[in-house]
Amino acid sequence: MNELIDHADTINALLARYGVKFGIYKNNQFHEQLFPFDAIPRVIPKDEFAEMEKGLIQRVDALNLFLKDIYGEKKIIKDGVIPEDFVFSSKGYLPECEGILPPKGIYSHISGIDLVQAEDGNWYILEDNLRIPSGASYPLIARELCRRASPRTFVNNNVVDNRNYAQLLKETMEHVNCGGIRVIMTPGRFNAAYFEHSYLAERSGAVLASCSDLYVENNCLYYKDYVGKRQKVGALYRRISDEYLDPLTFLPESLIGVPNLMSAYRAGNVAIINAPGNGIADDKGIYYFVPKMIKYYLGEEPILRNAPTYLPFYKADRQYVLDHLEKLVVKDVSEAGGYGVIFGRDLTKEELANLKKVIENESRRFIAQEVIDFLDLEIMDGHDQVKRKADLRAFVLSGKTTRVWASGLTRFSRNPDSFVVNSSQGGGFKDTWVLSR
């Protein structure tokens, strides 16, 4: 491992050279920055990962059943498990997707589940990302560069090979392919995760295309290459938010979507990965109900726990939150990327009073959670090893079966006083080693 630390600067220089950057939009401006890599890996023992794997498969299977139910019969609402108003008031719920059953009934083909490990060793789910979760490419290319820098490290340590992600992605797309080529659809060079789009397309053998390369004719989606040759698209891994996908169904001003794409999807002629409408399942408010979903759909007790969560939507929870706000973390259910996260302990008395008023008036807008003192991991800060907060994004792929990639994106905060680890908030990332024995 010392060899990896010695080569960390070289690895980061190569990552920059290959364009492994993270772009963010702020104040209507696009900023591209390096996503700093730390050479000290997170290590997960084999038995620990096996238990985590079972819990992640259970959770994603239940979430897929929930999506199928919500856009179909809505039994979970009729049986009173989740309040009707709570579901349909979510910004992630899309009435345009009502009654559409995706190929093979799979909604979330690629799920990014964010976990943290508490000081006592227990893993907690922080949130579910079922729309367009990003980040798999970063540990994939980092491991490749680490192998080059220090081959002996991976000979001397029993680390599961993570190079199979591209194959897992390919098999997942092929399972729902409606007949045609596989395409990864990118909004273009200035997207925050453009490196990932191009890298995964190259590694998985899919075509990388933008909206100008795609069109719909007779309810079928086609790709037209630079010489004008057209090919039918059977599986579209879109890296574009729902609202921009089809200007004739969603936002008419979208310039990065494909007109009539939803018509081709509704006709069953193309699989869209992940399915439009998944935002209802990764609404931070719906997160509260996932343990109930597991019991309802699978008849099982949840293997992995949620962080202790309160819904101000409910009167008793709202009162608890108002009484203990200074000890809780409050999250805006519509925000992502570390935005909209407020730690009560950091607020002045006046700010606490103002936040209480907002919570009382807009109770559906927030969840509140106990602050989990999650594990610090060693990182390099110059020549010193220091400890920083870190989470883990696990990738779960749902195709013929549900599988968990034996790797993942470990993100860490570079700020010693911060619990927010997102790349958009200036964090870095590590490789994640799952041990084979």
Side-chain angles (χ1 to χ4, degrees), residues 361-372:
N361 294 328
E362 302 177 60
S363 60
R364 172 61 179 87
R365 180 181 163 189
F366 301 99
I367 64 169
Q369 294 177 324
E370 301 287 353
V371 178
I372 297 175

Side-chain angles (χ1 to χ4, degrees), residues 377-397:
L377 296 183
E378 296 279 356
I379 72 163
M380 295 302 300
D381 183 12
H383 297 292
D384 300 322
Q385 288 192 20
V386 297
K387 289 192 171 185
R388 295 289 184 267
K389 297 298 180 187
D391 76 352
L392 171 67
R393 173 164 292 180
F395 292 91
V396 186
L397 291 92

Side-chain angles (χ1 to χ4, degrees), residues 301-351:
E301 290 296 320
I303 296 169
L304 293 171
R305 288 180 276 184
N306 276 11
T309 303
Y310 307 96
L311 278 189
F313 179 81
Y314 292 125
K315 184 177 179 181
D317 279 17
R318 181 165 64 250
Q319 193 58 54
Y320 180 87
V321 171
L322 296 175
D323 291 343
H324 300 87
L325 191 56
E326 67 281 357
K327 298 178 181 179
L328 302 173
V329 55
V330 176
K331 296 180 179 179
D332 189 317
V333 300
S334 298
E335 294 283 358
Y339 296 101
V341 177
I342 304 167
F343 286 85
R345 67 191 180 200
D346 296 334
L347 302 181
T348 64
K349 286 185 178 180
E350 183 180 355
E351 289 169 335

Side-chain angles (χ1 to χ4, degrees), residues 14 24 51 66 70 120 139 171 185 196 205 218 221 275 293 307 315 321 333 353 363 366 394-396 404 417:
L14 285 171
I24 57 172
E51 187 68 10
F66 167 73
I70 284 301
D120 61 8
E171 290 172 4
M185 180 186 181
E196 177 155 285
N218 297 325
L221 179 66
M293 289 179 204
K315 184 177 179 181
V321 171
V333 300
S363 60
F366 301 99
F395 292 91
V396 186
V404 180
D417 301 317

